[in-house]
Structures are given as structure tokens and as C-alpha cells.
């Protein structure tokens, strides 16, 4: 079976609906067809230097959310990045074929470093996409299911794989991004022109999967829309309504045109928001309950992660050996 790999950073106490719809739903669908690897990228999270106890806790919470969202550890490999040292090992090799300017052009790096200033920006943030490329290339992944915000990092990964293959001979599989357009960019409810984001200053636009349903209902009722008062599909002029319609369609499976038709007439924003709130709570409640169950006795979760790391190392070890050999590293024995 062809392989896929994806991952999320354990940077927060809960995933938001953008992570869930933009990535996780596709992971769950794809695990049926692919030999799937889902990684909790704790080394990436270290770039924002969380407190160590929080790092441990959030790594488990993130893994628990993978499972609660429908990743089946019998079908897919779920593991923690730092458990598989091959990721950092390959990242070094890839960093030696990455141009400084090429890395400096990454828009996420530019955004983050300009917000912090160069003194507060660590080198890990700069080399972050190279580690991400290693995550992907180590598994010969043919596809990478992510949201739109990861597209540029995927392009860098493809460039690096191609460059390595040209320079050292065929070593890596060149991965395709898998970014289904309907859910690729879920927007903030507070500012429908900005994506829903863990690092947003205004968290009132984020629907958190592990928050109390009450809190999410409140945010949905308060979602920014427009004064035109008619439910129509017009993403350019009515981005707030378009976002609600996208979320509705993704969760209900109902085509946008059908939803719009049901809400014809003036003053139906409240009713649309009511349905969206019901749909969100419907997925969120069992999700949250399952996460709580998994965390209550983390033994089972830790065992899944240990087994996942073993399986990941088997694959990653083989690919790393290929790359080490290609660049001419002398075998250790
Ligand atoms: P992260 O942790 O920021 O986000 C996890 C996933 O959620 C998607 N996503 C969204 N999708 C739709 N709408 C949104 N508003 C939204 N916000 C986030 C992201 O695109 C992502 O798929 N660099 C990655 C983590 C990573 C990775 C990898 C991913 C490290 N190594 C290897 C794939 C393969 C990141 O920061 O994701």
C-alpha cells in the first residue's frame, strides 16, 4: 500500500475545528486506503518553547485527539516525533542542500519572525520546514493530507527531494500535497478574513474541540457575518456566511446549495448559526468524552505510541540508511 504521513504540533490544550476539518477528517478517510503514519510533532512544538510539563501533557492530549477523531491504531501508525531520532538525523542532511534564501522565503517563518523580532526568533523556527520535509521523506510518503497553510512547506519538501535525487541518485519519493479545497482553510469566527489559528491573538474566533460545548455555541452565535441578512454563497463579499456554510457542509455532508435553499428569505442568520452549533456539538461531545477516557488511564495511549514508534523506526531507519549511503557517509559497521 502507498504511504501517507501527516502531523500536528502539540502546542495547545486542544485542536480547533480547522485542524479537525482541514486535516483530521481526511486522515481518517485516507487510512482505509493508505499505509498511514500520523506523528505528534513535539520537536516542531519546541520552537515555541513551551513549559516541559505542558509539553508532556499536550503531546499525550494531541495523540489522544488523533484517536478520538477516528484514527485507528490497528490500521495506522500513531507516534511521537522525538521517539524516532531519524527525523533529526535526516533533517541535518536536508539542511545541507537547502539554500539560506530558500528557507528565508518561507512565509510562516517571515510572519513569525517579524512578529517576534530577530533576537527572540530561534534558529529552530528557521529550519522548521526542513525538519518537516524529513518527517515526510522518511516514510516514502506519496501524499500528505494538510490544510492550505502547509502548501509552501510541501513545495519545499518536493524541491528538496528532487534536488537530492538529482545530486545523489534516486533516493526519495516526491510527495503530493493532499489539500481538499472545501475545508482547506477554515476561517476565524471573529474575523472571517483570517484563518482559524492556534496562535491567533483573538481566540474568540476558534472553536476548540475540547472546550465545553457551551463555549463553542456562544462563539458560533457571535460569529461575525454581514448586514445583508440573506444566506447566500458569496465567499468574496460574505466571507463570514461562506465560512459557516463550509463548516455546515463539511459536518453535515449536505451540499452548500441545499443548505442555502433551506435558508431562503430574510433574517435567517440566527437559524443557520443554530444548525452549525448543533453540528459542532454533535461531533465535539463524543470526541471530548473519548479524549477524557484515554487520558484517564494513559497506559493504553502510551503503549500505542510505543508500538507506533517501533513501526515508524523500522520504516524511517531503512530510508535514512539509503540517504546516508547516497551522500557517502561511511557505514558504522
Ligand atoms: P499545525 O499543527 O499548525 O496544524 C495541523 C493541521 O491543521 C491544518 N490547519 C487548518 N486547516 C484548515 N483550516 C485552518 N484554519 C487550519 N489551521 C490548521 C494544518 O494545515 C495542518 O494540516 N507544520 C505542520 C505540522 C507538521 C507536518 C509535518 C504536517 C510537521 N511535520 C509533516 C504534515 C507533514 C503544522 O504546523 O501544522
Amino acid at each position: 500500500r502507498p504511504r501517507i504521513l501527516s502531523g500536528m504540533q502539540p502546542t495547545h490544550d486542544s485542536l480547533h475545528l480547522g485542524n479537525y476539518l482541514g486535516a483530521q477528517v481526511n486522515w481518517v478517510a485516507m487510512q482505509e486506503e493508505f499505509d498511514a503514519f500520523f506523528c505528534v510533532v513535539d520537536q516542531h512544538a519546541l520552537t515555541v518553547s513551551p513549559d516541559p510539563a505542558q509539553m508532556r501533557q499536550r503531546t499525550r492530549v494531541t495523540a489522544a485527539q488523533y484517536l478520538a477523531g477516528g484514527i485507528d491504531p490497528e490500521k495506522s501508525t500513531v507516534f511521537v516525533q522525538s521517539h524516532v531520532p531519524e527525523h533529526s538525523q535526516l533533517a541535518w542532511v536536508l539542511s545541507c542542500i537547502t539554500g539560506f534564501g530558500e528557507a528565508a522565503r518561507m512565509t510562516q517563518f517571515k510572519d513569525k519572525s517579524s512578529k517576534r523580532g530577530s533576537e527572540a526568533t530561534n534558529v529552530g523556527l528557521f529550519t522548521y520546514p526542513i525538519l518537516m520535509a524529513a518527517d515526510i521523506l522518511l516514510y516514502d510518503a506519496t501524499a500528505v493530507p494538510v490544510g492550505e497553510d502547509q502548501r509552501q512547506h510541501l513545495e519545499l519538501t518536493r524541491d528538496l527531494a528532487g534536488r537530492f535525487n538529482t545530486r545523489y541518485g534516486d533516493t526519495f519519493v516526491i510527495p503530493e500535497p493532499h489539500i481538499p479545497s472545501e475545508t482547506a482553510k477554515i476561517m476565524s469566527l471573529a474575523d472571517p478574513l483570517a484563518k482559524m489559528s492556534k496562535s491567533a491573538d483573538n481566540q474568540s474566533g476558534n472553536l476548540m474541540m475540547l472546550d465545553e460545548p457551551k463555549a463553542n455555541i456562544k462563539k458560533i452565535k457571535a460569529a461575525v457575518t454581514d448586514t445583508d441578512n440573506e444566506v447566500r454563497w458569496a465567499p468574496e463579499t460574505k466571507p463570514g456566511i461562506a465560512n459557516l456554510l463550509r463548516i455546515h457542509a463539511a459536518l453535515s455532508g449536505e451540499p452548500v446549495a441545499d443548505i442555502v435553499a433551506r435558508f431562503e428569505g430574510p433574517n435567517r442568520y440566527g437559524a443557520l448559526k443554530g444548525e452549525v452549533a448543533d453540528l459542532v456539538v454533535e461531533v465535539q461531545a463524543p470526541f471530548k468524552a473519548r479524549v477524557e477516557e484515554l487520558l484517564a488511564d494513559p497506559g493504553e495511549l502510551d503503549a500505542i505510541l510505543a508500538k507506533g514508534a517501533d513501526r515508524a523506526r523500522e520504516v524511517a531507519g531503512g530510508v535514512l540508511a539509503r540517504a546516508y549511503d547516497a551522500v557517502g557517509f561511511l557505514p558504522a559497521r
Side-chain angles (χ1 to χ4, degrees), residues 9 18-19 44 128 132 135 146-147 149-150 184 186 196 198:
Q9 298 194 71
N19 302 132
H44 279 114
Y128 177 114
M132 177 163 164
D135 298 342
V146 287
D149 58 356
Q150 298 303 313
I186 301 295
M196 195 175 283
K198 289 186 266 203

Side-chain angles (χ1 to χ4, degrees), residues 33-202:
E33 241 182 279
F34 292 89
D35 183 16
F37 287 75
F38 300 115
C39 182
V40 179
V41 293
D42 55 347
Q43 291 176 276
H44 279 114
L46 196 60
T47 57
V48 293
S49 44
D51 154 81
Q54 208 172 47
M55 174 75 105
R56 250 170 242 123
Q57 168 67 7
R58 287 174 170 177
T59 299
R60 279 206 184 108
V61 174
T62 303
Q65 290 179 100
Y66 287 6
L67 303 178
I71 300 304
D72 178 353
E74 297 295 324
K75 293 181 183 150
S76 300
T77 303
V78 177
F79 69 104
V80 175
Q81 189 183 36
S82 66
H83 293 175
V84 182
E86 285 80 1
H87 290 242
S88 340
Q89 292 176 289
L90 182 61
W92 176 259
V93 172
L94 295 176
S95 73
C96 297
I97 63 162
T98 308
F100 189 88
E102 190 176 32
R105 277 195 296 278
M106 295 291 114
T107 53
Q108 281 202 350
F109 170 73
K110 287 199 285 190
D111 290 348
K112 286 185 180 160
S113 57
S114 72
K115 255 193 214 163
R116 292 166 182 227
S118 73
E119 281 312 307
T121 299
N122 60 65
V123 175
L125 273 176
F126 185 66
T127 55
Y128 177 114
I130 304 172
L131 179 60
M132 177 163 164
D135 298 342
I136 295 164
L137 299 179
L138 274 175
Y139 298 89
D140 291 333
T142 54
V144 184
V146 287
E148 180 61 39
D149 58 356
Q150 298 303 313
R151 188 183 292 278
Q152 196 189 30
H153 291 160
L154 259 291
E155 266 154 31
L156 177 71
T157 303
R158 290 167 54 84
D159 288 346
L160 294 179
R163 185 175 310 155
F164 189 101
N165 288 350
T166 305
R167 195 170 298 178
Y168 296 111
D170 238 350
T171 306
F172 295 123
V173 171
I174 307 210
E176 296 287 340
H178 179 88
I179 308 176
S181 57
E182 309 76 46
T183 51
K185 199 169 180 193
I186 301 295
M187 308 310 268
S188 161
L189 297 188
D191 174 5
L193 297 178
K195 69 169 181 180
M196 195 175 283
S197 160
K198 289 186 266 203
S199 54
D201 298 331
N202 184 356

